[in-house]
């Protein structure tokens, strides 16, 4: 079974990549990821500015009880993963640290795809040249593509991260600046925390982006512990916004992807958000993504997801075997197959006039007998 695919001109052994996140923050992790079977890895975002992360935990996992409505980051028996939360900044390692390691990784795995995630500012020509410096340094070490981090949800600087990603003009400018020096494909990673992600995507494509990665985590806060009245993750009692990922954002991220692939059906997209099984990834493929990226599930599976990538590839194999009667042999055979099923609400069929009761029972939200029972109980 051939699971390979070509995305923005780059050949991958399978359509599954580790996304830019804690699992890809070191040479050893990336090497382990390739050994486990990931076709591609997007490095932890590399920058030029000194970065110091907060003390204490930078990533935590929110869990839900099976038999109650409790949500908490506290580990406990029987709880299921709800989401991940992090306020980790980009790599705190310098470009000089990354450069030799990128070269060693590519020499060790020349048949795997290494994507360098990069980020700089946008407030001046000097900052824009930083993007070019990062791009040139990474591609000279053999990186197969560049992913522009226009989406980190918790950068303090107004000219970095999602603060850039919410401005379609800055997105376009940064993308063009990188494309001016790039000799490899350029992917723009966008933020979901925007009014209309299609506008920023259009800016990226106008700047020459070869693909869009969507989407980064959603801006959020951790919950407050009802017993201590403290945020479940904090430093000296203080917290700032971070990024929500994992299972909870799967439907949200799919909505963003649907907007993008419908607006640009002939462009390339890498889907991110809530993926841990092939069935999750299939949603992204059917909506128009050529590849998908995984983070949270891998973090909880030996940091780099050896069992996750095995399930993904085995799931894709089973799916292609099952769909052989349709003549499908590659991922590209079903990419975008359900994209056009997502329509405006007004296009969803309505009941006939005879049956329509405002969407509810004629007497309100509950049948008359139940409503009467509730009223009697209240009076008592």
């Amino acid at each position: 079974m051939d699971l390979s695919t070509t995305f923005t001109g780059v050949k991958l052994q399978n359509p599954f990549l580790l996304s830019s996140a804690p699992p890809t923050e070191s040479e050893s992790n990336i090497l382990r990821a390739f050994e486990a079977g990931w076709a591609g890895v997007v490095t932890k975002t590399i920058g030029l500015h000194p970065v110091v992360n907060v003390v204490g935990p930078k990533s935590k996992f929110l869990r839900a009880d099976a038999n109650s409505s409790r949500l908490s980051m506290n580990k406990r028996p029987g709880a299921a993963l709800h989401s991940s939360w992090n306020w980790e900044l980009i790599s705190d390692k310098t470009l000089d640290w990354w450069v030799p390691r990128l070269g060693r990784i590519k020499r060790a795995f020349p048949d795997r795809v290494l994507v360098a995630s990069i980020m700089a500012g946008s407030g001046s020509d000097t900052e824009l040249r930083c993007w070019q410096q990062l791009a040139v340094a990474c591609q000279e070490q053999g990186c197969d593509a560049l992913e522009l981090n226009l989406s980190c949800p918790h950068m303090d600087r107004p000219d970095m991260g999602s603060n850039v990603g919410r401005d379609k003009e800055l997105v376009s400018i940064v993308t063009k600046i990188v494309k001016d020096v790039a000799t490899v494909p350029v992917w723009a990673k966008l933020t979901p925390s925007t009014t209309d992600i299609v506008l920023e995507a259009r800016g990226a494509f106008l700047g020459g982006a070869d693909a869009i990665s969507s989407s980064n985590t959603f801006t959020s806060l951790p919950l407050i512990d009802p017993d201590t009245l403290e945020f479940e993750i904090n430093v000296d009692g203080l917290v700032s916004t971070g990024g929500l990922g994992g299972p909870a954002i799967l439907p949200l991220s799919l909505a963003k992807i649907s907007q993008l692939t419908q607006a640009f059906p002939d462009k390339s997209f890498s889907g991110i958000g809530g993926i841990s099984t092939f069935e999750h990834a299939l949603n992204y493929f059917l909506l128009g993504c050529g590849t998908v990226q995984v983070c949270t599930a891998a973090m909880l599976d030996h940091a780099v997801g050896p069992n996750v990538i095995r399930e993904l590839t085995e799931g894709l194999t089973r799916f292609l075997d099952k769909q052989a009667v349709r003549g499908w042999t590659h991922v590209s055979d079903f990419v975008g197959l359900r994209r056009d099923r997502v329509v405006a609400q007004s296009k969803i069929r309505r009941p006939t006039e005879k049956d329509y009761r405002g969407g509810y029972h004629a007497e309100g939200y509950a049948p008359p007998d139940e409503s009467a029972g509730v009223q009697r109980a209240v009076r008592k």
Side-chain angles (χ1 to χ4, degrees):
M1 181 66 65
D2 183 8
L3 304 186
S4 67
T5 191
T6 299
F7 185 76
T8 63
V10 178
K11 181 73 175 288
L12 294 105
Q13 293 184 352
N14 60 64
F16 308 115
L17 300 90
L18 271 186
S19 66
S20 176
T24 64
E25 67 183 350
S26 68
E27 178 182 7
S28 59
N29 269 14
I30 294 174
L31 292 173
R32 287 175 55 223
F34 283 145
E35 290 169 357
W38 293 96
V41 163
V42 187
T43 69
K44 181 80 171 166
T45 300
I46 305 167
L48 291 177
H49 299 278
V51 172
V52 179
N53 274 289
V54 299
V55 299
K58 291 174 279 295
S59 298
K60 294 271 284 189
F61 302 94
L62 190 63
R63 296 172 173 87
D65 286 352
N67 300 314
S68 76
S69 56
R70 182 188 180 200
L71 290 174
S72 174
M73 289 180 176
N74 295 323
K75 291 184 178 180
R76 53 204 187 275
L81 177 66
H82 173 276
S83 56
S84 61
W85 187 89
N86 85 87
W87 55 356
E88 185 168 347
L89 301 175
I90 66 174
S91 177
D92 56 8
K93 300 175 178 66
T94 65
L95 177 62
D96 289 341
W97 183 94
W98 275 102
V99 162
R101 288 164 175 81
L102 294 174
R104 287 201 296 264
I105 292 168
K106 276 304 297 183
R107 288 191 293 273
F109 287 92
D111 61 339
R112 304 300 173 90
V113 172
L114 181 62
V115 182
S117 173
I118 60 174
M119 181 166 71
S122 59
S124 65
D125 289 344
T126 299
E127 286 293 338
L128 293 175
R129 283 193 292 271
C130 289
W131 283 98
Q132 295 183 325
Q133 181 181 345
L134 289 163
V136 171
C138 293
Q139 66 189 16
E140 285 182 346
Q141 295 303 310
C143 288
D144 301 282
L146 303 167
E147 186 176 82
L148 313 183
N149 186 338
L150 304 168
S151 51
C152 181
H154 34 264
M155 301 298 293
D156 285 342
R157 285 181 45 165
D159 65 334
M160 277 189 165
S162 61
N163 296 320
V164 175
R166 285 189 287 265
D167 186 321
K168 61 183 185 294
E169 293 181 358
L170 286 179
V171 167
S172 187
I173 289 169
V174 168
T175 305
K176 185 180 185 308
I177 283 293
V178 175
K179 284 292 291 184
D180 284 345
V181 299
T183 57
V184 297
V186 174
W187 308 351
K189 187 174 183 179
L190 299 183
T191 175
S193 301
T194 181
T195 303
D196 186 355
I197 196 170
V198 169
L199 298 179
E200 287 77 40
R202 181 172 289 112
F205 286 132
L206 288 173
D210 298 281
I212 297 293
S213 299
S214 177
S215 55
N216 208 318
T217 52
F218 286 72
T219 301
S220 58
L221 283 173
L223 299 181
I224 296 174
D225 187 308
D227 295 322
T228 65
L229 302 186
E230 297 287 350
F231 286 98
E232 287 195 322
I233 180 171
N234 68 81
V235 174
D236 304 326
L238 303 178
V239 69
S240 65
T241 56
L244 188 77
I249 73 166
L250 176 59
L252 301 172
S253 297
L254 290 175
K256 296 293 181 179
I257 277 295
S258 174
Q259 289 179 269
L260 292 168
T261 60
Q262 286 199 337
F264 309 101
D266 298 324
K267 297 295 187 179
S268 297
F269 296 91
S270 188
I272 310 172
I275 300 168
S276 59
T277 69
F278 172 71
E279 287 72 21
H280 297 157
L282 180 59
N283 286 272
Y284 285 95
F285 295 137
L286 291 174
L287 288 174
C289 293
T291 61
V292 296
Q293 301 182 31
V294 179
C295 173
T296 297
M299 291 174 68
L300 290 168
D301 176 25
H302 300 85
V304 296
N307 295 304
V308 175
I309 184 58
R310 185 182 309 114
E311 198 288 330
L312 289 169
T313 54
E314 290 178 354
L316 176 55
T317 299
R318 290 192 302 270
F319 181 78
L320 288 174
D321 282 341
K322 184 178 180 180
Q323 301 298 333
V325 294
R326 299 176 185 252
W328 295 354
T329 58
H330 294 86
V331 170
S332 58
D333 291 327
F334 53 90
V335 165
L337 190 65
R338 291 292 178 262
R339 175 176 52 215
D340 295 335
R341 296 289 183 90
V342 183
V343 297
Q345 221 268 351
S346 59
K347 293 185 178 181
I348 302 295
R349 183 169 59 87
R350 266 45 175 177
T352 64
E353 183 177 346
K354 176 183 176 181
D355 297 328
Y356 184 65
R357 299 186 183 280
Y360 308 107
H361 189 278
E363 296 297 322
Y365 290 90
D369 55 339
E370 293 183 20
S371 299
V374 171
Q375 291 172 4
R376 286 194 296 271
V378 170
R379 283 197 294 270
K380 289 181 181 179

